[in-house]
Amino acid sequence: MRHHDTMPARLARFLVPAGVGLLFLGAWELLVATYDIPRFVLPAPSAIWESFVQNFGSLMTSLWVTLRVTISAFLLAVVGGVGLAILFSQNRHVEMALFPYAVVLQVTPVVSIAPLILIWVGYDNVEFALLILAWIVAFFPILSNTTLGLRSADHNLRDLFRLYGASRWQVLTELQLPSALPYILAGMKISGGLALIGAVVAEFVAGSGSGNGLAWRIVEAGNRLDIPRMFAALFLLSGLGILIFFGLTLMEQRLLRRWHESAILRES
Amino acid sequence: MSGKRPDAPPLLSLTGIGKTYANGIVALSGIDASIREGGFVSLVGPSGCGKSTLLRIIAGLIEADTGTLSWPASGTRPADIGFVFQDATLMPWARASDNVYLPLKLKGISWKQAEPRVMDALQRVGLADFANAYPRELSGGMRMRVSIARALVTEPPLLLMDEPFAALDEFTRGKLDDDLLALWQAQRFTTVFVTHSIYESVYLSERVLVMGARPGRILADIEISEPFPRGHTFRESPRYIEICAQVSAALREGAAI
């Protein structure tokens, strides 16, 4: 038995939110025109679009920088988080010794560590500092989710593996990691968004002249009171966040749809 | 029964087996029993009588605190023991065939070599057409069949079953009881079957060990010499009712002490 949305239902799921968005933009455009709101307070969508087209080159360069930092930080967070969680699962002492520090890393606001990291890495290498900061933010959800997931393997299945004389490696690869997959994917969905936030926040902290990412475009546009450009950069950031979220959701669906409850679509 | 040699050494012999858990509960005390090769023995008793604990001790999943467990016929615990849990306990991410393949895979046998055995095991439980299905696409009874196929794929000399059909509806359960007996008759693995159903234990077994709780112990050892295959004629016979009453009485006596 497989459950699929029918085509019209799927189309509606895309068309309805898109329609709401268009309606919202139309109302916005109308409001700005009717009340003659100045550009530096609230630019109309058409003005934002104009600015987007004008500054397309520099915006795309910045988007690429932010994207690069976000994706690298995210991938390193996945490798580091899953890797450390595996280490924890193999040795309770290592977990006991290190987990509190992972928590410290998580609860310390990234904004407060940013200046330190920037000094250590050097202002001539800001992108690397951004990468470290984004990684710190993105790392913990994957670590904690994977740790939980590796522990959640069915106890009877564990006994069965033991009965058949499975090695530690076999228990890890054949039982623990597959059991943990839904947890890891849930952690990745959180981390993907956090990596973007980390990259942007870190760039704000890095301050003037040092960054090239979208955050810096926003700061720069703000300083010049070029609000349409600010909005253009802001929309790009939102778009990027949405893209990351949907990309990871799609991956989750693909990987889990045949077997995990969370990914089963039900006809209602 | 033909082929039954009373003088042959038993597969498994338990003497004075006791187990106390860390919280002070005495799960088992002074268990003496021996199980012949190719036999079908049921352990029946109320919750908390330690029947699952005993099964786990036999499997080697936990150690007894006192007493000895020996294997007179083979000398050592068989390398292959099939175990079936109350739930099918399948890996939800793996197809039926991959679930059945598991014991062989863990032994390092390649899929190419294992495939005919896996397919044969699925065939024997009547699921040849469902090799590619995922567990959630199967009914409860079918999942249990996959679980039995997995337990039998290594052709173990010993099959341990821990209330395997307790979660199923009565019709499915009756069908699986019969299918299990057919497999047992064909392959003659020794079966230790834990259940809390008196009727199921009497219908299936050559021998019923009736257990009591606090501490877990054996109250009665009842032989059932009715020939196999048993079918509904046995289930409806006065002899069947009589043995059920006997098991029931042994349980009542145990509870009264």
Side-chain angles (χ1 to χ4, degrees), chain B residues 1 36-39 157 183-190 206 228:
Chain B
M1 269 190 71
R36 71 165 193 91
E37 247 181 322
L183 284 168
W184 171 71
Q185 275 198 284
Q187 291 175 250
R188 282 294 161 175
F189 39 82
T190 309
E206 292 181 315
F228 293 91

Side-chain angles (χ1 to χ4, degrees), chain B residues 125-215:
Chain B
V125 296
L127 285 183
D129 294 338
F130 293 87
N132 287 325
Y134 283 83
R136 62 155 293 114
E137 297 164 344
L138 300 171
S139 69
M142 287 161 109
R143 276 180 234 167
M144 192 44 81
R145 285 170 188 278
V146 175
S147 186
I148 292 170
R150 177 180 62 191
L152 294 180
V153 74
T154 58
E155 301 193 359
L158 177 61
L159 176 65
L160 304 174
M161 306 184 92
D162 191 1
E163 298 187 23
F165 311 141
L168 301 175
D169 63 88
E170 203 180 327
F171 306 105
T172 311
R173 184 181 199 169
K175 180 83 178 75
L176 279 168
D177 281 343
D178 285 333
D179 290 353
L180 174 64
L181 279 184
L183 284 168
W184 171 71
Q185 275 198 284
Q187 291 175 250
R188 282 294 161 175
F189 39 82
T190 309
T191 307
V192 183
F193 190 98
V194 166
T195 176
H196 50 225
S197 161
I198 295 168
Y199 306 107
E200 192 177 36
S201 71
V202 171
Y203 181 67
L204 289 175
S205 344
E206 292 181 315
R207 207 173 135 204
V208 176
L209 296 176
V210 182
M211 294 183 69
R214 278 170 292 272

